[in-house]
Amino acid sequence: YTITVDPRAAGADISDSMYGVFFEDINFAADGGLYAELVRNRSFEFLPIDNQSYTGLTAWTPNGVDGGAGTATTVDDAARLHERNRTYLNLALSNPDGGWYGVTNAGWNTGVAVQAGDRYDFSVWARTDAAAGTPLSVTVHDAQGDPLATPLTRVVRGDTWSRYTGTLTARRDSDVGRLSVRAAGTGTLRLDMVSLFPQKTFKGRANGLRKDLAEKIAALKPGFVRFPGGCLVNTNSMYGYDASSNWERSRSYQWKDTVGPVEQRATNRNFWGYNQSYGLGYFEYFQFSEDVGAMPLPVVPALVTGCGQNRATADEALLQRHIQDTLDLIEFANGPASSTWGGLRARMGHPKPYALTHIAIGNEENLPNEFFANFLRFRSAIKARYPDITVISNSGPDDTGATFDRLWTLNREAGVDMVDEHYYNTPGWFLQNNHRYDSYDRNGPKVFLGEFASQDNKFFNSLAEAHYMTGLERNADVVRLAAYAPLLANIDHVQWRPDLIWFDSDESWGTTSYQVQKLFMNNVGDRTVPSRFTAPVVPPRGITGAVGLSTWATAARYDDVKVTGTDGGVLFSDDFANGAGQWSAVEPRGAWSVVDGQYQQSDTAALDTLVRAGNITATDYDLTLKATKLDGAEGFLVAFG
Ligand code: AHR
């Protein structure tokens, strides 16, 4: 093969932060994922409004040992720990003659994961009405009750909330651990914020991130971190109110709910149907971005709920508050420690400002006019106070269509800095749309490709993404930022696939798309140069090994093109010499009827206009292809590797 490049020719400058990651708490990516907390429902705030299967005791089992007895209930009353952390665990203890009574937490996935020799910080907020105090026993054990770590005892004293802490050292490796907190004596013991946190977090940060997951993200060398969503930012309503908890529930993601001491943070219903603790909040997102050398890129709700909900607020005061909150967010990130919100950042442990330069308003907005009216309000308030901040607008949920067109018109007319585009499509779409941005207006708004993925986690999806990303890079003067989505998936709690990195309670693994992203992110160039790819023509028969090519020079039909190999995928192209043709793909794995079905399903359109490859037969990893030339096809390529 020959790749011809002209290094002197002018090409697009590529932004240093061209490729980044998009973190959203979907697929249990935060609690039970990137956030290292090992206790599930630590603050007893799981409510049926979050998910109908929840009770305050979700993940907890009341129990006694050595004859211990009592009752365990969750309560939201005036004795609460904090206005925003309302529900606590009430233990009525009946152990006058000995014994221990309390609760056991099942952790995430198969259980609490511990590693022999590692240290774990336990903490709990507690108060007791027992005059002599209440002894507390803390143990980590397996499902049979056999110890996994050194035990801990404390005595709770006084009927006001205090924090009790201690460290446990694991004696054995396990991913089926349980945490039990039990008390002796009689009286009422109240508990809240029961936490078990590994000391080994990413970069050793307190209230930090799970090491293996954060390290996998860091290894990508992301140029930016987009957070916290996604549809998550809008949640279910803008200002839902739940009378039973006397607290707004299901409301949009509001950054002020997520900062300050963890025991004072709200919890909320997650758009994806579960409870989110906000233990991983805005401070932690900024800190993580800094720790991985990436530009932080927050998304704030525009008060026009996208993601299929299509409601715009008519509440002017609410809109004003959100605009002010956004200004406060910029102060939280960039303001001096002497400012109100910069001061909070300093108190949380980061006196130096974070370098926030970009902020996005809204996500996948379906109501173009309503969204844009709000967007302009946000933008003028931000630009008046922070003229250098890039304010990112929206293009709706699709890669094309009326909403997309309308939003792009509005964005262009208003001279918007940058527009967020999202699309999840077949590999065929990605292969066919390599040239999408060639025709974009060079003087118009820049593109932030905030979410994209080819719709499966197979090898050929990743190849299609890599192919597509060469088109992004060629247009790097227009496309300034791009991120695959979603980033993380807990294998036992999947709302969306494909995903870049998968995990359970103690293991994680990247997909082939992860390897593609890593390849691109670790090798961001300074600028593109024009290039041309030419390939030799080889006979169609007897293709073996890594790659084979054929033209249609001598025949309109080829039967029995043999392809053999041990693993990988098969690609067809009509225009391989330019590297610009339409591609289709099959993966030679599993039952061939299924493979053929997938092939037909995902790539029929691309294939029909180009090359028809039918009657794919195979034994193990030997393929026999029959290919028929259709109008416009120049040749075909079969890649196997
Ligand atoms: O990435 C998953 C979801 O896809 C995001 O929340 C949303 O923006 C898009 O529809």
Side-chain angles (χ1 to χ4, degrees):
Y1 313 106
T2 309
I3 299 175
T4 312
V5 292
D6 181 357
R8 288 157 310 176
D13 282 342
I14 305 170
S15 147
D16 288 341
S17 45
M18 174 84 180
Y19 303 115
V21 292
F22 164 43
F23 178 87
E24 176 173 27
D25 184 5
I26 185 174
N27 305 319
F28 285 50
D31 297 328
L34 188 59
Y35 185 49
E37 174 63 77
L38 293 168
V39 176
R40 185 172 184 206
N41 189 16
R42 69 179 174 189
S43 64
F44 308 98
E45 301 290 328
F46 278 36
L47 298 177
I49 194 171
D50 302 328
N51 184 300
Q52 282 184 356
S53 68
Y54 289 169
T55 69
L57 281 173
T58 292
W60 294 98
T61 310
N63 63 85
V65 293
D66 302 334
T71 59
T73 45
T74 53
V75 181
D76 174 6
D77 66 10
R80 65 180 67 89
L81 176 58
H82 189 266
E83 188 59 21
R84 293 200 295 187
N85 183 356
R86 302 180 68 87
T87 312
Y88 61 86
L89 177 68
N90 194 98
L91 292 178
L93 300 171
S94 315
N95 307 312
D97 305 319
W100 298 81
Y101 181 80
V103 283
T104 296
N105 190 271
W108 302 93
N109 297 86
T110 47
V112 173
V114 291
Q115 277 199 313
D118 283 1
R119 291 159 68 79
Y120 297 84
D121 290 332
F122 170 81
S123 62
V124 63
W125 285 80
R127 55 189 277 186
T128 179
D129 65 3
T134 299
L136 207 60
S137 145
V138 180
T139 53
V140 176
H141 52 85
D142 62 19
Q144 284 68 47
D146 293 332
L148 290 169
T150 52
L152 192 74
T153 52
R154 289 288 179 272
V155 178
V156 176
R157 291 186 197 283
D159 209 2
T160 53
W161 288 106
S162 299
R163 187 165 181 255
Y164 297 84
T165 62
T167 300
L168 294 88
T169 303
R171 292 181 185 149
R172 289 193 280 138
D173 287 358
S174 176
D175 62 0
V176 294
R178 306 280 184 267
L179 172 75
S180 286
V181 182
R182 300 187 186 99
T186 57
T188 298
L189 175 72
R190 294 180 169 94
L191 301 179
D192 208 346
M193 295 301 287
V194 185
S195 171
L196 187 68
F197 227 93
Q199 286 189 352
K200 280 190 184 162
T201 57
F202 181 59
K203 303 235 176 219
R205 300 272 174 225
N207 194 46
L209 306 183
R210 191 174 128 173
K211 206 162 172 289
D212 61 325
L213 288 175
E215 283 175 351
K216 280 202 173 55
I217 299 168
L220 291 168
K221 299 207 169 115
F224 63 88
V225 179
R226 175 179 182 243
F227 61 88
C231 291
L232 179 83
V233 298
N234 291 324
T235 310
N236 267 9
S237 74
M238 288 161 287
Y239 44 109
Y241 186 81
D242 174 47
S244 66
S245 72
N246 196 27
W247 181 249
E248 290 181 30
R249 213 60 196 184
S250 295
R251 62 194 206 147
S252 58
Y253 195 106
Q254 299 179 33
W255 76 272
K256 288 179 182 173
D257 285 346
T258 76
V259 291
V262 286
E263 70 277 6
Q264 295 178 15
R265 297 185 192 178
T267 73
N268 194 11
R269 181 186 196 280
N270 180 311
F271 176 88
W272 299 104
Y274 52 91
N275 177 279
Q276 53 188 336
S277 77
Y278 290 151
L280 171 54
Y282 258 75
F283 179 85
E284 290 76 22
Y285 285 127
F286 280 127
Q287 187 59 58
F288 180 55
S289 305
E290 184 178 88
D291 283 344
V292 299
M295 169 178 102
L297 204 167
V299 182
V300 297
L303 278 272
V304 181
T305 53
C307 295
Q309 295 175 73
N310 300 340
R311 285 192 309 267
T313 186
D315 185 337
E316 174 60 23
L318 186 73
L319 178 61
Q320 274 301 339
R321 174 164 74 71
H322 275 258
I323 292 171
Q324 184 57 48
D325 281 356
T326 305
L327 297 176
D328 294 344
L329 171 61
I330 299 171
E331 184 178 289
F332 178 71
N334 292 352
S338 56
S339 63
T340 305
W341 294 104
L344 174 60
R345 183 197 66 236
R347 287 195 299 284
M348 290 184 74
H350 201 283
K352 214 172 132 237
Y354 292 112
L356 178 68
T357 57
H358 291 58
I359 193 161
I361 314 296
N363 179 72
E364 300 201 351
E365 301 295 340
N366 285 326
L367 301 178
N369 298 333
E370 293 84 342
F371 161 73
F372 208 71
N374 285 7
F375 172 80
L376 291 175
R377 302 272 303 274
F378 278 85
R379 184 178 71 163
S380 55
I382 294 169
K383 292 282 184 185
R385 187 132 156 231
Y386 303 104
D388 295 334
I389 294 274
T390 299
V391 184
I392 303 174
S393 180
N394 208 256
S395 65
D398 300 315
D399 58 85
T400 184
T403 301
F404 179 88
D405 290 346
R406 176 73 184 142
L407 279 166
W408 261 105
T409 301
L410 292 167
N411 287 320
R412 247 190 313 272
E413 284 172 2
V416 158
D417 296 330
M418 199 175 256
V419 176
D420 187 9
E421 290 195 354
H422 296 177
Y423 34 81
Y424 299 88
N425 282 318
T426 62
W429 184 94
F430 281 95
L431 297 169
Q432 287 168 21
N433 282 276
N434 182 286
H435 291 271
R436 175 182 175 92
Y437 295 107
D438 292 359
S439 57
Y440 270 52
D441 179 1
R442 293 0 244 182
N443 300 311
K446 303 297 178 201
V447 171
F448 169 33
L449 179 48
E451 298 178 24
F452 75 92
S454 159
Q455 288 159 325
D456 208 338
N457 267 148
K458 293 199 168 72
F459 175 64
F460 69 81
N461 297 89
S462 316
L463 283 180
E465 286 151 7
H467 173 275
Y468 188 75
M469 288 170 79
T470 64
L472 300 181
E473 203 148 297
R474 193 175 59 253
N475 288 284
D477 55 330
V478 168
V479 184
R480 302 300 285 167
L481 308 164
Y484 181 99
L487 181 60
L488 296 179
N490 182 322
I491 194 158
D492 292 329
H493 303 282
V494 183
Q495 278 99 31
W496 186 289
R497 58 177 84 217
D499 304 286
L500 207 62
I501 300 170
W502 291 73
F503 61 91
D504 60 19
S505 49
D506 61 347
E507 287 177 299
S508 52
W509 54 98
T511 59
T512 49
S513 293
Y514 172 82
Q515 300 302 337
V516 165
Q517 293 303 313
K518 192 170 169 188
L519 189 67
F520 276 77
M521 279 189 229
N522 277 259
N523 298 283
V524 182
D526 297 325
R527 68 187 172 93
T528 56
V529 289
S531 63
R532 186 174 168 76
F533 171 72
T534 51
V537 173
V538 295
R541 281 171 190 279
I543 292 170
T544 57
V547 176
L549 298 164
S550 175
T551 67
W552 295 104
T554 58
R557 178 180 174 82
Y558 291 109
D559 288 342
D560 304 331
V561 178
K562 294 289 286 180
V563 184
T564 60
T566 53
D567 200 357
V570 180
L571 294 173
F572 302 87
S573 167
D574 72 322
D575 190 11
F576 54 83
N578 289 326
Q582 316 288 317
W583 296 67
S584 301
V586 295
E587 190 184 38
R589 279 181 183 281
W592 288 105
S593 55
V594 174
V595 168
D596 207 19
Q598 286 177 346
Y599 173 66
Q600 293 297 337
Q601 220 176 31
S602 58
D603 294 297
T604 303
L607 210 63
D608 277 354
T609 55
L610 303 163
V611 180
R612 188 183 303 282
N615 305 328
I616 298 172
T617 58
T619 331
D620 295 329
Y621 293 113
D622 293 339
L623 282 175
T624 303
L625 309 176
K626 298 181 193 301
T628 309
K629 182 184 180 187
L630 297 185
D631 285 351
E634 292 176 18
F636 67 88
L637 175 151
V638 182
F640 196 96

